[in-house]
Amino acid sequence: MSNGLRALRGAVRFVAPICRPALRQHLVFTPVSRRSYASVSAADEQFGQPVHETHPHLLKPGELTPGITALEYAQRRSKLASKLSNNGIAILAAADVKYRSGAVFYDYHQESNFFYLTGKSNSQDDHTFHLFVRPKNPKEEQWDGSRSGTQAALDVFNADESGDIKDIDKHLTNLISSASSIYTDALPSSSTSPFSRIVHTKPSPSSSNLSTILDRASVKPLKSLMNDLRNIKSDAEIDTMRIAGKASGRAFTEAMRCNSWTKEKDLAAFLEYKFKRNGCDTSAYVPVVAGGKNASQIHYVRNDDVLLEQDLVLADAGGEYGNYITDITRSWPISGTFTPPQKDLYNAILATQRTCISLCRASSANSLDKLHEIAENTLKDSLKGLGFDMSGNVRGTPFYPSPPLLFPVWKKTRGND
């Protein structure tokens, strides 16, 4: 790095099964010292997430996650390090495991910035990557699933140093005490992150000392630096996003071709199945499948009503691939044929969408707020042209130009529709 020594440090824990890091990552950038590489054969081991040697049907050689190589993860960490002040530290907390009831957990989803930065590094740089994880434990893994362990932190994720997550407070005390600045979004005592719990609630002399050091340190927000890094997508990211988009789009097309949907839950289940069947890892979020007037609720996720032949159905869903998601909303007639009023409203939405998409280019110099304004005004004009009374505050609530607002129950100022 041209501007001298940088430091990027954090705390990590990987929890099995597949890809469930549940505490934090430790990234430390110091002058490079060459280390020897262990000879663990990945094909003969079990890890907390897929690697090419164990899951060649999911990952190509060199990839740490679908479509993204270990080298790209290393480059991301280096870019973040270059944005920190000299001898600065960045601490990132991974997402925790969330429980539905007792020991029954929800599907794990990693914190986005943590995921964006972690992974094996094939490059050498003037920083060191520390990764603290839960060690291998055959008895616990028999119950919870495989863990990557401390050796895999070195051999698979290519960390320069690794250790037991239980000792992270002692290591952080030494590392943070010499830092000029600390960049983190996980520090407030009100935070529920595992890192915050280590700092504020772990009853040990070392954690108490860590809390004191942090209270005296210069702490700066990390989010803005991460946003800058993630704003512009790499070619590999764009390719990964296209895969997610194509798989999700095909699922919607297949759903629209079927004219026999009678229940919202059946359509929701079909979409979620097709996302995975077409190559996605999972659904990107809880889907909205709303028939008739249910579509007027923007985040209707009950998906438990019947679908009537004369109604439109709105589906807001998408697949996730390699932690990149799609977000698609489409409306279509249950019967397969629009009634004249439904067609009028659908075309109004479609024309607005096409107008906004045509303006989504750098040369148009439009902000997201400007595009929102254009969408709102275009919809207003279209609805007025259809005979809606758009004078005054007819809506009574903020206007969100989104496909869910297809007004499946409507009033017109002319005609009998």
Side-chain angles (χ1 to χ4, degrees), residues 15 38 64 102 117 149 165 192 216 220 224 230 238 243 260-261 287 301 327 331 336 353 357 362 402 413 415:
V15 177
L64 189 56
L117 290 175
I165 189 64
T192 59
R216 297 173 180 174
K220 301 178 181 180
S224 60
R230 297 176 61 185
I238 292 172
I243 291 173
S260 60
W261 300 115
V301 293
D327 185 339
S331 298
Q353 180 190 44
I357 289 176
S402 169
T413 58

Side-chain angles (χ1 to χ4, degrees), residues 393-407:
N393 186 21
V394 296
R395 297 175 301 277
T397 56
F399 186 66
Y400 298 99
S402 169
L405 292 182
L406 282 178
F407 303 98

